[in-house]
Amino acid sequence: MSSSFNNTAPGFLVRNEFWLKRLHSLSGILPIGAYVVFHFFQNSYAQHGPERYNEVVHALQGIPYRFILELGVIALPILYHALYGFAILRWGAPNVRAYPYLANWRYVFQRLTGVVALAYIVFHVYRTTMQDYLYGREVNFQLMAIDLSQPWIFLCYAIGIVCVAYHFGNGLWSFLITWGITRGERAQRVSSLICLGIFVSMAVWGIHILTRFI
Amino acid sequence: MNSGKNVRFRIHRRENPSAPPRWEEFEVSYYPGMNVIGALMEIQKNPATADGKPTTPPAWEANCLEEVCGSCTMVINGAVRQACSALVVNLSQPIELRPMSKFPNLRDLKVDRSRMFEGLKKVGAWVPLDGTHALGAGPKVSPETQQKAYALSRCMTCGCCLEACPQYHSRSQFIGAAAISQVRLFNLHPSGAMNAGERLEALMGPGGVSNCGNAQNCVKVCPKEIPLTTSIGEVEWQVTQHAIKKLLGF
């Protein structure tokens, strides 16, 4: 009897999917997730006023190996996570209409927020870091304040931050299963509550930071 | 519901694997305790549609009629389950019967679940004990392990977990929750554990455990209440350990 297996030679993505998937899972937490937390923390200096904020930003801009670090710790991991994310997206066939369970909805939201978060990150990097690299414009409190005073940009940032927070929180829950750390039904339920807490806290924290610029 | 009252069915029909699908409506006279298989048997006695047109009797598979063989699995009113344990009295009408969508449809409600069997072969879901000489008694199994294994051994390869899985379809090679859970079962067995590495190796290959998207529909729809998501987590841990050992060369 013919089976549904595809018997043609598997491509690179299929042959190496175990390691690629584990790398995708890991990269979401380290370095990307860790960087997001650090980035939120560093931007929280906005509440100490423009001068203090600019000092912190200036100090960060002057760190040694800045370009290599930005590339290796931030840009490339995000690029990999996004590209492989699109591959994962292609292999899924969501079915929430037939099976409207909570975890199934979270599966859909994880994919949806990933796409929105990527669009937001591209937009955000263009409005900030790239302004420096492309036009030599100084990235500081004033630049952020001008941008965020426009309601549509503020809205884009708020939506982007909520999606990033969800993708990180729910992704952490998924990470714990993917590496076999949470196994039992109870462990997965407790970790889902903790990760829900992380999502909500990150979303509130991020939006709070935004309001400190206006 | 009273005896003699008519029950309405809407049934997916297909002459052969390459024929286009179509729908037909049927009416059967209710009797107490009627299940979907019973209704299909009534239709078989007098194969005519609800408006009286003669037709071929719908084809379906069934065997045990007590929800332990899995062969009568189909999609009933949008939910995947066994037709034998689906009581007509609990279903809203017209009762819609469809074949599972994740396997090739052979005819009407019959599907070809070879892919599930291929999956079990791929992971070596058995304890290999072939030989011409007596091997003696096997190692003892603790009651605790027996309890765990019993829950997993109830899998009847029905396909519900795969029908509900958004990662399992004709374009993906995913092996699915059932086979992953069988790897846990046979790795749990002291003799089966001797081949644990081979099974984990199979699950690290194309279509392996990394295809899981954690939608967790499998555990919700499993008629045997097998802790499939725990099995996936447990096997992920075994695979993690195996992968690290392999990576570092011990």
Side-chain angles (χ1 to χ4, degrees), chain A residues 54-129:
Chain A
N54 287 344
E55 267 174 40
V56 172
V57 170
H58 195 72
L60 266 173
Q61 283 164 345
I63 57 167
Y65 311 116
R66 177 187 162 192
F67 182 72
I68 293 171
L69 287 172
E70 278 179 343
L71 195 69
V73 181
I74 310 167
L76 289 180
I78 290 177
L79 187 69
Y80 173 74
H81 195 82
L83 285 177
Y84 196 72
F86 278 111
I88 292 177
L89 207 59
R90 231 166 50 93
W91 295 326
N95 56 6
V96 274
R97 269 183 56 164
Y99 303 98
Y101 306 121
L102 182 63
N104 202 19
W105 274 109
R106 287 166 54 183
Y107 165 92
V108 172
F109 286 144
Q110 185 66 6
R111 278 142 185 80
L112 203 68
T113 53
V115 174
V116 177
L118 178 66
Y120 162 69
I121 290 165
V122 170
F123 173 71
H124 171 54
V125 171
Y126 174 73
R127 300 294 300 189
T128 54
T129 310

Side-chain angles (χ1 to χ4, degrees), chain B residues 13-44:
Chain B
R13 306 299 309 269
R14 193 197 291 272
E15 299 300 323
N16 59 62
S18 47
R22 63 196 162 83
W23 290 91
E24 270 180 1
E25 299 226 355
F26 294 90
E27 258 181 29
V28 293
S29 183
Y30 181 77
Y31 58 76
M34 180 186 252
N35 59 5
V36 168
I37 294 291
L40 285 168
M41 287 165 125
E42 289 298 309
I43 294 170
Q44 201 176 32

Side-chain angles (χ1 to χ4, degrees), chain B residues 165-229:
Chain B
C165 175
Q167 297 289 99
Y168 189 97
H169 46 77
S170 58
R171 289 176 294 113
S172 92
Q173 293 197 52
F174 187 28
I175 198 161
I180 295 171
S181 190
Q182 290 303 295
V183 168
R184 181 183 175 210
L185 171 64
F186 287 98
N187 286 1
L188 205 57
H189 189 279
S191 303
M194 292 176 189
N195 303 79
E198 289 164 36
R199 296 190 192 96
L200 298 176
E201 203 64 42
L203 285 185
M204 279 173 69
V209 69
S210 67
N211 284 236
C212 174
N214 293 320
Q216 303 200 330
N217 293 342
C218 52
V219 75
K220 295 269 186 190
V221 299
C222 178
K224 308 312 286 183
E225 296 175 348
I226 298 169
L228 293 167
T229 46

Side-chain angles (χ1 to χ4, degrees), chain A residues 38-58 60 124 139-146 148 154 157 161 205-214:
Chain A
F38 168 74
H39 190 56
F40 274 36
F41 185 76
Q42 168 241 317
N43 274 286
S44 300
Y45 276 99
Q47 58 192 286
H48 292 322
E51 270 175 40
R52 185 81 186 96
Y53 180 83
N54 287 344
E55 267 174 40
V56 172
V57 170
H58 195 72
L60 266 173
H124 171 54
V139 180
N140 55 21
F141 189 95
Q142 289 72 22
L143 182 99
M144 291 305 298
I146 292 166
L148 290 171
F154 188 92
Y157 268 67
I161 284 171
W205 185 14
I207 290 171
H208 174 77
I209 294 168
L210 290 185
T211 62
R212 297 301 96 186
F213 285 102
I214 47 175

Side-chain angles (χ1 to χ4, degrees), chain B residues 28-80:
Chain B
V28 293
S29 183
Y30 181 77
Y31 58 76
M34 180 186 252
N35 59 5
V36 168
I37 294 291
L40 285 168
M41 287 165 125
E42 289 298 309
I43 294 170
Q44 201 176 32
K45 285 182 197 164
N46 174 30
T49 60
D51 44 10
K53 260 186 15 210
T55 185
T56 51
W60 81 92
E61 281 187 307
N63 194 359
C64 74
L65 303 182
E66 54 180 7
E67 207 187 76
V68 290
C69 82
S71 63
C72 66
T73 306
M74 57 182 76
V75 180
I76 300 169
N77 283 352
V80 67

